[in-house]
Amino acid sequence: AATIAPPTTINNATTFSDALTVSGAFTSQGIDDNANATAITIDSSENISIGDASKGGSLGQVRIINDASSSPASLALFGHNNVSDGTDFAKIQLAMQTGGVGGNVVAQITGEAEGTAENAAHLTFETATGGTLTERMRIDSIGNVGIGTTVIDVSTQAGGSGYKALQIESDEGGQLNFDHNDAGTGSTLGQINFQRAGEVVAEIEGVT
């Protein structure tokens, strides 16, 4: 085992065949860790833990662990610098093997910029058939939901403000199911409520 105490600079390629302990801050072109505890752990199964590696051992291959009760563990995808309106600035991709070491993205969650002020966005969900991603659903910047459409039509109600919309669109029409798996005679299968300040003022109900 080797121990290096600051100030020490290694300028050229160096190989350590045993454990290396750095007693002060460690800086490299790839990793900066000036913490006073282990920040990143890669175990023998190549699982990566950021934070306390003794926790979350049964979870996925990449884990972010935060012991602070006042702050949740978080993952930030930061699309930096002047994103154009309608362009993607961050995404999460799910991929499958296509052959050899190749991969094919078959599902995706994307942040899409609204405007150029970098303070509003839509969230889109895409899945693939035949290897081609297609947007299936989006939540726009003000909370409207569109399924099968990238353009959500919102009517204006009396007084001038817009409704919150759930829009289902396809060439074959849309469908909304309320399915009760154990419905006897007289059972309510589903209900649509019209409310004002939390009070139901009208309803549509399906009964067997």
Side-chain angles (χ1 to χ4, degrees), residues 195-206:
Q195 297 184 199
R196 180 182 59 210
E199 178 186 0
V200 177
V201 295
E203 64 183 36
I204 300 172
E205 190 174 276

Side-chain angles (χ1 to χ4, degrees), residues 4-58:
I4 297 177
T8 301
T9 301
I10 301 174
N11 293 316
N12 300 314
T14 304
T15 299
F16 295 92
S17 59
D18 203 345
L20 172 66
T21 300
V22 179
S23 60
F26 170 75
T27 300
S28 76
Q29 291 181 337
I31 298 175
D32 264 345
D33 175 20
N34 295 314
N36 57 4
T38 301
I40 300 175
T41 301
I42 304 175
D43 67 20
S44 58
S45 299
E46 299 182 356
N47 298 310
I48 301 172
S49 296
I50 301 174
D52 188 348
S54 68
K55 298 179 174 65
S58 62

Side-chain angles (χ1 to χ4, degrees), residues 95-104:
M96 290 182 178
Q97 181 184 10
T98 57
V101 295
N104 194 33

Side-chain angles (χ1 to χ4, degrees), residues 49-131:
S49 296
I50 301 174
D52 188 348
S54 68
K55 298 179 174 65
S58 62
L59 302 178
Q61 292 171 291
V62 179
R63 311 153 189 158
I64 301 174
I65 302 110
N66 186 6
D67 288 332
S69 59
S70 60
S71 178
S74 62
L75 173 66
L77 304 180
F78 183 12
H80 181 262
N81 193 17
N82 298 325
V83 177
S84 302
D85 180 35
T87 60
D88 301 341
F89 63 88
K91 63 181 63 177
I92 298 173
Q93 295 182 323
L94 309 178
M96 290 182 178
Q97 181 184 10
T98 57
V101 295
N104 194 33
V105 177
V106 295
Q108 180 170 284
I109 303 172
T110 303
E112 178 186 300
E114 181 189 31
T116 57
E118 298 180 346
N119 62 4
H122 313 302
L123 193 62
T124 68
F125 300 81
E126 298 94 36
T127 59
T129 55

Side-chain angles (χ1 to χ4, degrees), residues 114-185:
E114 181 189 31
T116 57
E118 298 180 346
N119 62 4
H122 313 302
L123 193 62
T124 68
F125 300 81
E126 298 94 36
T127 59
T129 55
T132 301
L133 282 172
T134 301
E135 181 179 322
R136 309 297 183 184
M137 184 178 77
R138 73 169 40 217
I139 304 172
D140 72 12
S141 62
I142 59 174
N144 297 307
V145 177
I147 299 174
T149 181
T150 61
V151 180
I152 303 172
D153 302 317
V154 181
S155 300
T156 301
Q157 58 181 307
S161 59
Y163 292 105
K164 289 297 180 205
L166 168 61
Q167 182 173 328
I168 302 174
E169 184 176 319
S170 78
D171 293 339
E172 288 78 33
Q175 180 173 313
L176 183 63
N177 294 337
F178 296 89
D179 190 354
H180 194 313
N181 290 326
D182 188 26
T185 302

